[in-house]
Amino acid sequence: MRPRKDSVDRRKPGNSQAVLLSSPPLSLRPNSRNRRLWLAFLAKAAAMAGQSRKWMILVATIWIQAFTGTNFDFSAYSSALKSVLGISQVQLNYLAVASDMGKVFGWSSGLALMYLPLSVVLFIAAFMGFIGYGIQWLVIRQIISLPYFLVFLFCLMAGCSICWFNTVCFVLCIKNFPSNQPLAISLTVSFNGVSAALYALAANAINPSSSPLYLFLNAIIPLLTSIAALIPILRQPSVDPLPPEAVRRDSLIFLILNVLAVITGFYLLLFGSTTSNDVTTVRLLFGGAIFLLVFPLCIPGVVYARDWFKRTIHSSISLDGSGFILVDADDLELHKELLTREASNHSNGLLDSLLSSDNGIARSKSIEGCCGTLMEKDQLVMLGQEHSAAVLVCRFDFWLYYVAYFCGGTIGLVFSNNLGQIAQSLGQSSKTTTLLTLYSSFSFFGRLLSAAPDYIRAKFYFARTGWLTIALVPTPIAFFLLAISGSAAALHAGTAMVGLSSGFIFAAAVSITSELFGPNSVSVNHNILITNIPIGSLVYGVLAALVYDANAGSGLGDIVSDSVVCMGRRCYFWTFVWWGCISILGLVSSVMLFLRTKHAYDNFERKRTTQLY
């Protein structure tokens, strides 16, 4: 056979065979089609790299939240701080209030973000915590001596750092997950609930007998976490609109991350308060917890690899057949459509809603007098309407929501601040770390459960304000149980119920605020809502401290290191009774909020399903 004209028959020195050099095949020639395919491949690779970076940011946000809930371990060192300072229970409560008062200055972090890069704001928060907790550690170790007022200010600085960390995390979630914003916020905020369990495990791995060690860890670990999270934050990808396929893939990743979060919660619940003579065992358990926090970095890569091979190997696993609806692209478009309606359409929508429901008309006619006015006046017409701060404080629904939070989640937070003294009064001082871990773990589970309405939405729909009402039910039960019985079992059960309830409220509050009063105003409106936390911390804490000191002065007190310690069930009996009654008020307020907003949720869901199907 004669060679082609464009081929050359050459023999290279040292070769015994001829090598036929021909022009490249047609499929390899650099034509315009191949260039387009190559550019498309590079674009796809760049997009996947950007997607992987956003998941690194999410994991970094999880780390920040997991190690910056430092106000939850206050009860672990509060007794030692009270003893060193020689202060009363009321004065100790003021220090807890100072930590919670940082939320009053939450607006300052938003103002800083207007003028400073996100990474700078992150390290300002880290150094505020480093200084605030570091000075307290020096005081409790009696290395330095400070007047009570300065200790109060450093507690305030430490509490303010927590709020700044939270703002950074919210901004990162909102910016990098616009399509899955509620899921990202819910997941990351959940890890804030395990901070106390993580710090308890870390302290037990170093020196389980040292309560001041918690303050040292509170100062150092958030700073180290900020350094570890710096690289992902500096390499944030550009945010582009996601196609429906990418939204569903992200939903699968969030589902896997939530399952992994549940495993982490159970791990910390089982081993978080472990104290052992074998320090190596405790350190291995702490290493296991760190592994569970790092492992989520692998999940997105596995899912992307699955999608890559799915093009050649058909998979029978598909999200389309799943019963979970997290965030759908069509749902997002419907939400945007609802938000852009003009005010003239709002009244028409309400009229159509009333005319389309004969039962609703009959019900409204049956309600008379003040009750009818209370339930029907100034109701929300639809979800997502923007409310300015001035309009917000004039809405009756907002104040129902405020009272429900004030008498529910906030009272649970105050309970955790007093957990050390409660355990001490019941003769359970050695179980303080266990109780702290129990509260932290169940608070974490409560925060994870706040995403349940999004997961079961396709099979069972219920207004999010209704879920809020259900979440408040365990709180009064827990407080009345603690008032009735002073046993260790009742203390553990009550702590778990309060942690579960308050954790759900803390995590669900951002989504409820966004739905009821507008997503674009949520940063301002939510900061207005959480002003109830320092107020409640002051009111409930002072109430508990006055009852405590009164019983300590009536013959139930012992002198421990120049500090009066109350012993016995009566130290907190009336506190539990009052807290139980107040939490019932919050439950009633949440029921009213649910009844007033149910029709708005139902209208939104009906229009959403009509749009989809």
Side-chain angles (χ1 to χ4, degrees), residues 375-547:
M375 297 307 299
E376 302 291 341
K377 183 180 179 181
D378 196 28
Q379 283 183 290
L380 287 171
V381 178
M382 57 179 290
L383 299 182
Q385 297 181 74
E386 297 297 335
H387 289 66
S388 65
V391 175
L392 181 77
V393 297
C394 296
R395 298 238 25 158
F396 183 58
D397 291 316
F398 169 74
W399 291 109
L400 288 175
Y401 183 30
Y402 194 93
V403 172
Y405 197 119
F406 178 77
C407 299
T410 299
I411 205 169
L413 180 61
V414 177
F415 171 79
S416 71
N417 290 338
N418 285 268
L419 201 52
Q421 281 67 47
I422 293 172
Q424 187 180 47
S425 67
L426 296 175
Q428 301 287 330
S429 296
S430 61
K431 300 293 184 182
T432 300
T433 302
T434 302
L435 292 170
L436 189 63
T437 301
L438 189 67
Y439 177 88
S440 176
S441 298
F442 274 87
S443 176
F444 173 69
F445 290 135
R447 292 165 190 255
L448 284 180
L449 283 174
S450 68
D454 298 305
Y455 283 95
I456 64 174
R457 188 175 182 177
K459 296 185 180 296
F460 178 73
Y461 176 75
F462 197 51
R464 204 180 297 271
T465 49
W467 290 108
L468 176 69
T469 301
I470 295 173
L472 282 167
V473 172
T475 302
I477 297 175
F479 286 133
F480 289 129
L481 175 64
L482 290 169
I484 293 172
S485 175
S487 65
L491 182 59
H492 283 75
T495 301
M497 285 191 286
V498 174
L500 187 70
S501 178
S502 58
F504 187 102
I505 296 167
F506 293 148
V510 178
S511 298
I512 294 176
T513 305
S514 175
E515 291 169 348
L516 296 183
F517 308 115
N520 296 331
S521 307
V522 68
S523 59
V524 175
N525 293 343
H526 190 67
N527 277 325
I528 295 175
L529 172 70
I530 62 176
T531 56
N532 77 85
I533 294 179
I535 296 173
S537 181
L538 176 63
V539 173
Y540 301 142
V542 168
L543 172 65
L546 290 175
V547 173

Side-chain angles (χ1 to χ4, degrees), residues 546-558 564-567 570-571:
L546 290 175
V547 173
Y548 182 94
D549 286 343
N551 283 288
S554 63
L556 296 176
D558 292 334
V564 179
V565 176
C566 183
M567 300 298 294
R570 294 191 60 82
C571 297

